[in-house]
């Protein structure tokens, strides 16, 4: 296993938590060019941890119109197993996703930030991870951590 950064993607998790999901390789680095923000500057953000120049673990967030009980992620609903994360979460082989309501009355609404876009969808992708119940357990744990991180960082009520 290559040397990993101590903290992964804005501090969402640690390298030791992600390591069981990563393939073997010679080099690892993370690409994280955008700040963690989906309301004030942009509608989505992501960060990737690369192993040997291939994305091995990606953390993604996007502002969306629908929340729990809607078709916010058709793939997750069809292929995933429900987990406790955010308002609604799912884990599947190689990934996990959640959605939650993020009330931000402090932000002005308009064309760039429509009133309907008050939900945040989170996704973790580790498509090169071993296909195993243990990988799904790790992804579910990481998704719960990510949802807690995102709610705090985005200042959700």
């Amino acid at each position: 296993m290559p040397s990993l950064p101590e903290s992964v993607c804005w501090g969402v998790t640690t390298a030791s938590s992600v390591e069981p999901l990563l393939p073997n390789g010679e080099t690892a680095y993370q690409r994280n060019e955008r700040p963690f923000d989906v309301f004030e500057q942009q509608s989505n953000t992501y960060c990737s941890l690369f192993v040997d120049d291939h994305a091995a673990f990606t953390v993604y967030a996007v502002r969306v119109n629908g929340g729990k009980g809607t078709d916010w992620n058709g793939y997750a609903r069809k292929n995933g197993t429900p987990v406790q994360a955010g308002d609604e979460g799912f884990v599947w082989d190689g990934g996990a996703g959640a959605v939650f309501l993020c009330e931000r009355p402090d932000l002005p609404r308009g064309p760039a930030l429509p009133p309907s876009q008050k939900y945040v969808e989170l996704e973790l992708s580790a498509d090169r991870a071993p296909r195993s119940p243990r990988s799904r357990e790790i992804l579910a744990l990481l998704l719960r951590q990510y949802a807690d991180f995102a709610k705090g960082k985005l200042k959700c009520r």
Side-chain angles (χ1 to χ4, degrees), residues 120-149:
V120 176
E121 179 181 348
L122 306 174
E123 189 168 322
L124 302 174
S125 174
D127 57 2
R128 296 171 68 198
R131 302 291 191 246
S132 70
R134 178 72 182 131
S135 289
R136 281 181 171 232
E137 288 173 19
I138 293 168
L139 284 163
L141 175 66
L142 292 173
L143 184 62
R144 285 191 285 278
Q145 290 174 352
Y146 186 26
D148 291 343
F149 167 87

Side-chain angles (χ1 to χ4, degrees), residues 75-89:
Y75 181 86
R77 191 171 299 286
K78 181 179 177 187
N79 298 296
T81 302
V83 295
Q84 292 291 324
D87 294 339
E88 184 174 47

Side-chain angles (χ1 to χ4, degrees), residues 26-141:
E26 298 295 318
T27 62
Y29 62 92
Q30 87 183 315
R31 185 171 298 150
N32 173 355
E33 297 165 359
R34 293 179 164 186
F36 189 83
D37 168 31
V38 297
F39 284 107
E40 297 181 35
Q41 302 287 325
Q42 59 211 21
S43 64
N44 65 67
T45 192
Y46 69 93
C47 169
S48 295
L49 181 61
F50 287 77
V51 174
D52 291 345
D53 295 325
H54 298 282
F57 182 73
T58 300
V59 178
Y60 179 74
V62 64
R63 188 176 66 222
V64 294
N65 290 332
K68 182 178 181 177
T70 67
D71 197 22
W72 56 271
N73 186 327
Y75 181 86
R77 191 171 299 286
K78 181 179 177 187
N79 298 296
T81 302
V83 295
Q84 292 291 324
D87 294 339
E88 184 174 47
F90 296 93
V91 64
W92 56 89
D93 284 338
V99 68
F100 62 89
L101 175 64
C102 185
E103 294 288 0
R104 288 288 306 269
D106 60 313
L107 295 176
R109 297 295 179 149
L113 182 58
S116 61
Q117 291 190 348
K118 56 186 175 184
Y119 297 91
V120 176
E121 179 181 348
L122 306 174
E123 189 168 322
L124 302 174
S125 174
D127 57 2
R128 296 171 68 198
R131 302 291 191 246
S132 70
R134 178 72 182 131
S135 289
R136 281 181 171 232
E137 288 173 19
I138 293 168
L139 284 163
L141 175 66

